[in-house]
């Protein structure tokens, strides 16, 4: 069977760099948002799946739960755009795509599912999506899995946004590039398929957050200024062993809804970020449906006090304990200082929270170039939800040490 795929389906920048034929061990596709990296990776995998024999592709992200709505949907979408659905069998459980013409397979696995990862054998190539989510150790373990003889070339495609010049990926692939590596940098300007409103959003970042503009529009490695929360670490822990849970929610629609579950260990002055939920385009009643899967109706849920109507909607949807943050003690700086003076441990499954905290920094005075006592107000939805969740704890402390709100100049 001869299936022809027109060159027109590919963004020209990848063809210009011969990325489709590239057989290097490491193919690094990095750069700004919306530059077509993920689409191209999915296209290359399908292309190889159709053209080569004995292929078993592994598609990897840090967290298994994020695979279905991202890489799996994207590969399905590419199959359907190419009109090739009759030639593939797509299953949800297990998450798998099989080419009916030759038995080639695409398997999906999360690094947070080590048992499954260990059980997968005979891999011939790998795609690591959103590679900044992985630690260097995660990556090296994966790299070791791709050894031995295969009929065609073995390749690891790595796609990511360059969130920080201090990230291990920068040192590993850019400062000391390993042999057999190809690096292709792209931005939204390289993607002729992108819609105008998305382009405008990226261009508007320039006025909102210089660092974000650098990373997501220009595709350059982020330069961290003064971080708001230097006190965090990302560590695996067993959520079921914790107690004293708190829930916080930041409302949004175009901006995302952001919900967070944290546990607070008072003795150890340690905050555990346990679970997150972040999604745009949800109404308050959509949000209530999502939250019912994640918390009990009895739990106390602290929300942004600026949106009393939406809090009332949550109450009517059954969350009787949806409450606003306490007035006077919800100043951003007070909350930040409180959180900063404690230990913050983030569960590795909270990938969106990790993205926010890694780039959350203080504003700079344009004239003097000095840092202001004010964080950049962008991409801080889950971070706001964190402050709300802990608002009651903050208030307890507040009373105990006998400070009036005037002490904080509120
Ligand atoms: N070859 C293509 N054909 C059709 N549409 C495409 C193609 N490449 C990209 N697009 C469109 O551009 C959008 C952005 O592409 P993609 O998601 O691959 O970008 P990305 O570089 O992975 O972005 P991010 O850095 O945000 O993950 C896609 O959702 C799709 O609508
Ligand atoms: Mg992508």
């Amino acid at each position: 069977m001869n299936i022809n795929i027109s060159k027109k389906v590919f963004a020209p920048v990848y063809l210009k760099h011969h990325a489709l034929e590239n057989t290097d061990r490491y193919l690094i596709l990095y750069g700004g948002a919306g530059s077509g990296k993920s689409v191209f990776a999915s296209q290359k995998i399908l292309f190889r799946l159709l053209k080569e024999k004995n292929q078993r592709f592994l598609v990897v992200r840090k967290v298994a739960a994020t695979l279905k709505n991202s890489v799996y949907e994207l590969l399905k979408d590419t199959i359907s755009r190419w009109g090739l659905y009759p030639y593939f069998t797509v299953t949800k459980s297990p998450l798998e795509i099989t080419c009916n013409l030759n038995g080639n397979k695409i398997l999906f696995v999360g690094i947070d599912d080590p048992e499954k990862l260990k059980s997968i054998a005979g891999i011939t190539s790998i795609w690591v999506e959103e590679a900044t989510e992985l630690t260097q150790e995660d990556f090296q373990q994966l790299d070791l899995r791709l050894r031995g003889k295969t009929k065609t070339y073995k390749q690891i495609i790595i796609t990511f946004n360059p969130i920080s010049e201090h990230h291990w990926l920068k040192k590993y692939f850019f400062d000391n590039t390993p042999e057999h590596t190809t690096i292709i940098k792209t931005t939204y300007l390289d993607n002729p398929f992108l819609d105008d409103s998305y382009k405008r959003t990226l261009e508007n970042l320039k006025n909102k957050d210089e660092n974000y503009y650098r990373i997501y529009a220009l595709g350059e490695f982020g330069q961290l200024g003064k971080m708001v929360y230097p006190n965090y670490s990302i560590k695996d822990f067993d959520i079921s062993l914790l107690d004293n849970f708190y829930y916080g929610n930041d409302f949004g629609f175009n901006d995302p809804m952001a919900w967070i579950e944290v546990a607070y260990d008072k003795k150890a002055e340690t905050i555990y970020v346990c679970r997150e939920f972040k999604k745009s385009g949800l109404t308050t009643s959509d949000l209530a449906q999502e939250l019912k899967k994640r918390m009990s109706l009895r739990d106390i849920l602290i929300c942004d006090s600026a949106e009393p109507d939406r809090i009332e909607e949550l109450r009517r949807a059954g969350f009787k304990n949806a409450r606003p943050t306490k007035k006077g003690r919800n100043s951003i700086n007070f909350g930040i200082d409180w959180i900063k003076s404690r230990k913050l441990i983030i569960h590795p499954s909270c990938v969106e929270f990790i993205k926010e905290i890694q780039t959350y920094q203080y504003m700079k005075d344009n004239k003097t170039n000095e840092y202001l006592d004010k964080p950049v107000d962008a991409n801080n939805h889950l971070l706001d939800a964190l402050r709300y969740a802990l608002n009651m704890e903050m208030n307890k402390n507040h009373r105990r040490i006998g400070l009036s709100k005037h002490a904080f100049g509120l």
Side-chain angles (χ1 to χ4, degrees):
M1 173 121 212
N2 208 359
I3 293 174
N4 275 321
I5 293 161
S6 156
K7 295 238 150 145
K8 283 190 194 143
V9 300
F10 300 100
V13 66
Y14 299 99
L15 299 181
K16 188 178 102 193
H17 288 99
H18 308 287
L20 201 56
E21 304 84 31
N22 182 292
T23 60
D24 271 346
R25 179 161 181 99
Y26 306 110
L27 177 60
I28 317 283
L29 308 179
Y30 86 109
S35 69
K37 303 179 291 297
S38 302
V39 170
F40 179 76
S42 77
Q43 291 178 324
K44 178 158 188 182
I45 290 178
L46 286 178
F47 191 77
R48 292 193 61 193
L49 215 66
L50 290 162
K51 301 273 171 200
E52 297 170 20
K53 289 202 177 110
N54 303 305
Q55 290 298 318
R56 270 166 77 79
F57 275 85
L58 188 63
V59 179
V60 179
R61 278 190 68 166
K62 176 76 175 184
V63 179
T66 59
L67 292 164
K68 189 175 163 298
N69 284 334
S70 60
V71 278
Y72 172 78
E73 285 299 330
L74 177 57
L75 277 152
K76 268 175 62 179
D77 193 50
T78 307
I79 293 171
S80 117
R81 273 168 193 251
W82 286 1
L84 296 178
Y85 236 98
Y87 304 114
F88 288 90
T89 303
V90 178
T91 59
K92 254 193 210 162
S93 178
L95 222 50
E96 247 178 52
I97 295 176
T98 308
C99 180
N100 303 334
L101 301 171
N102 50 25
N104 286 342
K105 266 188 193 304
I106 308 173
L107 311 166
F108 299 82
V109 71
I111 298 282
D112 65 342
D113 193 353
E115 290 308 310
K116 182 164 178 201
L117 194 56
K118 252 186 250 154
S119 71
I120 293 175
I123 296 307
T124 55
S125 277
I126 300 176
W127 172 23
V128 186
E129 166 74 324
E130 303 280 3
T132 47
E133 293 169 357
L134 271 63
T135 63
Q136 186 171 334
E137 167 77 20
D138 292 336
F139 177 76
Q140 283 170 322
Q141 289 295 330
L142 260 186
D143 200 7
L144 287 173
R145 298 292 311 272
L146 196 62
R147 300 274 168 219
K149 267 213 151 38
T150 48
K151 292 226 163 87
T152 54
Y153 68 95
K154 294 186 280 291
Q155 181 168 71
I156 306 185
I157 304 176
I158 299 166
T159 47
F160 66 94
N161 304 114
I163 51 169
S164 162
E165 60 189 2
H166 301 298
H167 199 280
W168 66 267
L169 279 165
K170 164 87 165 36
K171 252 187 233 120
Y172 201 90
F173 286 108
F174 294 75
D175 297 347
N176 202 353
T177 308
E179 268 183 53
H180 310 296
T181 300
T182 295
I183 300 178
I184 300 174
K185 178 187 163 189
T186 50
T187 71
Y188 69 103
L189 296 170
D190 296 306
N191 180 2
F193 305 99
L194 205 60
D195 62 84
D196 286 343
S197 78
Y198 194 79
K199 279 185 199 166
R200 272 197 303 278
T201 309
L202 288 174
E203 277 156 9
N204 283 340
L205 280 176
K206 196 170 192 170
N207 312 317
K208 258 192 133 178
D209 185 338
E210 213 178 293
N211 194 44
Y212 254 67
Y213 179 72
R214 192 182 161 84
I215 302 167
Y216 293 103
L218 304 180
E220 283 166 21
F221 274 95
Q223 285 179 340
L224 277 188
K226 190 176 162 197
M227 287 179 71
V228 177
Y229 292 122
N231 57 321
Y232 75 89
S233 54
I234 303 163
K235 248 188 250 162
D236 210 349
F237 54 82
D238 188 345
I239 298 172
S240 67
L241 297 179
L242 298 173
D243 52 15
N244 206 17
F245 287 103
Y246 290 99
Y247 301 91
N249 186 68
D250 188 34
F251 293 108
F253 183 74
N254 291 330
D255 274 345
M257 293 281 191
W259 171 91
I260 199 164
E261 177 186 64
V262 299
Y264 183 54
D265 180 342
K266 202 169 192 166
K267 255 198 196 147
E269 297 213 314
T270 301
I271 302 159
Y272 293 89
V273 177
C274 304
R275 289 189 299 156
E276 65 177 13
F277 173 72
K278 181 173 172 180
K279 198 169 178 186
S280 303
L282 296 189
T283 62
T284 312
S285 78
D286 295 337
L287 174 72
Q289 292 311 317
E290 289 294 339
L291 296 193
K292 280 177 188 164
K293 299 178 207 158
R294 293 172 170 83
M295 60 188 284
S296 139
L297 290 174
R298 286 188 310 273
D299 290 327
I300 296 175
L301 174 65
I302 309 291
C303 310
D304 186 354
S305 61
E307 309 231 29
D309 49 333
R310 302 182 86 174
I311 296 175
E312 182 55 32
E313 267 183 85
L314 282 178
R315 285 206 196 107
R316 290 186 195 180
F319 290 97
K320 293 279 175 279
N321 288 318
R323 297 178 191 168
T325 50
K326 282 249 165 80
K327 281 226 168 61
R329 288 167 196 162
N330 57 3
S331 106
I332 298 177
N333 280 352
F334 171 63
I336 286 176
D337 289 345
W338 191 91
I339 291 168
K340 243 180 161 158
S341 59
R342 283 154 179 83
K343 236 200 217 157
L344 191 55
I345 299 182
I346 310 167
H347 195 272
S349 64
C350 297
V351 288
E352 293 299 326
F353 184 89
I354 294 167
K355 268 186 209 155
E356 287 191 13
I357 205 166
Q358 280 174 335
T359 46
Y360 196 41
Q361 50 189 317
Y362 284 107
M363 282 169 103
K364 241 184 188 174
D365 185 317
N366 278 343
K367 283 190 199 125
T368 63
N369 226 11
E370 288 192 1
Y371 287 103
L372 305 170
D373 196 20
K374 202 174 166 203
V376 176
D377 185 21
N379 314 298
N380 49 5
H381 312 287
L382 287 162
L383 292 163
D384 283 352
L386 172 72
R387 276 191 301 108
Y388 303 154
L390 290 164
N391 184 255
M392 286 203 314
E393 268 300 332
M394 292 175 193
N395 284 328
K396 275 190 212 162
N397 211 34
H398 207 261
R399 274 198 301 275
R400 191 167 54 79
I401 56 178
L403 292 174
S404 79
K405 64 181 185 183
H406 304 293
F408 294 93
L410 300 170

